[in-house]
Amino acid sequence: MKIAVENVVTELKSFLHNDQVSTNQTILEQHSKDESYHTPSLPDIVVYPKNTEEVSDIVKIARKHEIHITPFGLGSCLEGHVIPYEHGITIDFSLMNKVLEVKEKDFIVKVQPGVTRKQLNSELKKYGLFFPVDPGANATIGGMTATNASGTMSVKYGIMRDNVRDLEVVLADGSIIHTGNIAAKSSSGLHLNGLFVGSEGTLGCFTEITLQVYGIPEFITATRASFPTIEDAVESVVAIRQAGIPLARMELIDEQSIVQVNMHSDTDYKEVPTLFLEFHGNEAGLKQDVEFTKEIVEDFHCTEIQFETDNAARNKLWEARHNLAYAYIHANPGRKLMVTDVCLPISELAGAIRHAREALNKVGLPGGIVGHVGDGNYHALIMVDTDNKEDIKKAEEFNAQLVEYSLSRGGTCTGEHGVGVGKTKYQKQEHGEALQLMTGLKKTMDPTGLFNPGKIFSD
Ligand SMILES: Cc1cc2nc3c(=O)[nH]c(=O)nc-3n(C[C@H](O)[C@H](O)[C@H](O)COP(=O)(O)OP(=O)(O)OC[C@H]3O[C@@H](n4cnc5c(N)ncnc54)[C@H](O)[C@@H]3O)c2cc1C
């Protein structure tokens, strides 16, 4: 194996600069893990391509030497997606970080995969546009596409799969295809965008991504609503959704998590179950939506409602929400984050969160419940000591209980984080015979199992 690695490095360096190919121990370690509790494993080589042709040539070399490929964005995933358990070459896309084209009249942007969501939004701001999918980390668009990420605004603007118009993909034989176009709709052929978005680096490498973007709303109001119980908060979300009020963000933060927010983000929010809401639109329309929302939350015993129209206060509120996982991480040194990610039909949400709260109390590990509850997705965050087998066992049993509850009510084991290695065990139960079809597609598209082995599909 050692000799094969040296040969591969020599071949890679025949068309990549020396500093684009690394076997340095620190670099290998940086690419051996993600933000989760899953055990790290080193790649043999890390490469930093600068364009599509280089990616294609890397894939051809890996195929020739029967060495695996793991695509890598920022490494912020939460289920071990980027951990190369079979070693091989990790392709780090950080040098492919250009916004290639903004077609403002068509609300379209084309980017390289290493562009981060914050980088994209600062570029789009110049055109009065924004891209709404906002996972908590400053993830890359490549990684977000590969995990079918969503975030706080997906309740209004949809998830990655709704917003990708076209992908340039390097396939397992090194060939390069496009999966879509820039038209707003198309009935032509199979929906390849849908197939590749969420494929977690198992079907190919994305080298260009074309996205639908949106005009920055004329008026934005953010709201913090406090409740005596988590049930009251969740039931008011369901009522707001059922009333058809077009909220852009609906986030739940439980009491324990508000304590973490206050400690980490220098805020003094009331330490009770809280909803962070946001309305986008024009001033007149928003006034009506806000009044209607106020009436609904009052019916569910809301004790306090605060509005933030000022830009700085709004940004502080959402920054605090985005930093919540890091707040738990910093407050629990030596422990790693384990995040559940079930998503259920909205009518099942209150029962599911009640069930999760009771189960979390029994687990006895530090943690809390938060979520993008507007679309039925919530997370229990638990901090585990990865050296303590009992902790891992308790956390995994807890996750299994939540998944069981969700699947039995028509939900999914993962609303947005993806399968990685952590959720392969639920795939058969969730998809039944359809899993065979998925495995068949993987085998057809990647017959030698070159790309990201052990993720999604597990033997
Ligand atoms: C604090 C925190 C908060 C988070 N909040 C959210 C959230 O709200 N919503 C959410 O959806 N997720 C969330 N996540 C998870 C994570 O940020 C997302 O999964 C994100 O999409 C990963 O992007 P990345 O750039 O870090 O990709 P990576 O972690 O590097 O990779 C993720 C997957 O994408 C593949 N990949 C990367 N680049 C390419 C490419 N060019 N071609 C093909 N495959 C590729 C990798 O192989 C891997 O399978 C959070 C994570 C953290 C740490």
Side-chain angles (χ1 to χ4, degrees), residues 34-35 70-78 81-82 93 113 134-152 200-201 204-207 209 321-322 325-326 337 372 379 416-417 452:
D34 60 4
E35 294 274 1
T70 306
F72 191 99
L74 184 78
S76 72
C77 53
L78 294 168
H81 305 64
V82 289
F93 285 95
D134 62 340
N138 185 20
T140 65
I141 300 300
M144 287 164 59
T145 304
T147 55
N148 191 21
S150 51
T152 63
E200 301 185 6
C205 291
F206 311 145
T207 45
I209 300 157
R321 165 63 190 97
H322 277 134
Y326 294 116
L337 186 63
H372 315 303
H379 310 301
E416 57 181 20
H417 296 161
N452 211 1

Side-chain angles (χ1 to χ4, degrees), residues 151-311:
T152 63
M153 286 189 257
S154 298
V155 64
K156 180 171 170 75
Y157 299 97
I159 60 181
M160 284 307 285
R161 202 166 264 145
D162 301 316
N163 288 296
V164 168
R165 288 278 178 88
D166 181 35
L167 294 170
E168 181 181 78
V169 188
V170 174
L171 298 175
D173 61 358
S175 61
I176 301 162
I177 60 159
H178 277 261
T179 59
N181 51 54
I182 60 167
K185 58 185 202 178
S186 167
S187 290
S188 176
L190 299 182
H191 197 304
L192 293 184
N193 287 342
L195 178 64
F196 279 95
V197 177
S199 59
E200 301 185 6
T202 64
L203 299 181
C205 291
F206 311 145
T207 45
E208 277 180 16
I209 300 157
T210 303
L211 300 166
Q212 169 177 323
V213 295
Y214 298 83
I216 295 173
E218 184 193 325
F219 207 76
I220 301 177
T221 303
T223 303
R224 234 174 346 103
S226 309
F227 294 84
T229 69
I230 197 163
E231 283 84 0
D232 285 326
V234 176
E235 276 162 18
S236 63
V237 165
V238 177
I240 292 166
R241 291 283 281 139
Q242 285 167 345
I245 303 172
L247 265 97
R249 288 168 146 165
M250 301 180 92
E251 295 288 307
L252 169 76
I253 295 120
D254 76 350
E255 200 173 326
Q256 289 78 354
S257 305
I258 286 282
V259 172
Q260 299 296 330
V261 165
N262 282 343
M263 283 196 317
H264 185 79
S265 297
D266 191 27
T267 48
D268 60 352
Y269 300 149
K270 207 168 165 187
E271 293 178 348
V272 293
T274 302
L275 290 179
F276 287 4
L277 307 173
E278 193 167 271
F279 303 79
H280 292 181
N282 61 48
E283 197 167 357
L286 282 199
K287 257 193 187 138
Q288 281 185 345
D289 291 341
V290 166
E291 282 312 311
F292 196 8
T293 302
K294 260 164 106 179
E295 281 173 31
I296 293 176
V297 296
E298 274 159 19
D299 284 349
F300 292 93
H301 319 112
C302 173
T303 52
E304 187 179 274
I305 185 156
Q306 297 264 346
F307 291 93
E308 323 267 23
T309 35
D310 165 62
N311 227 352

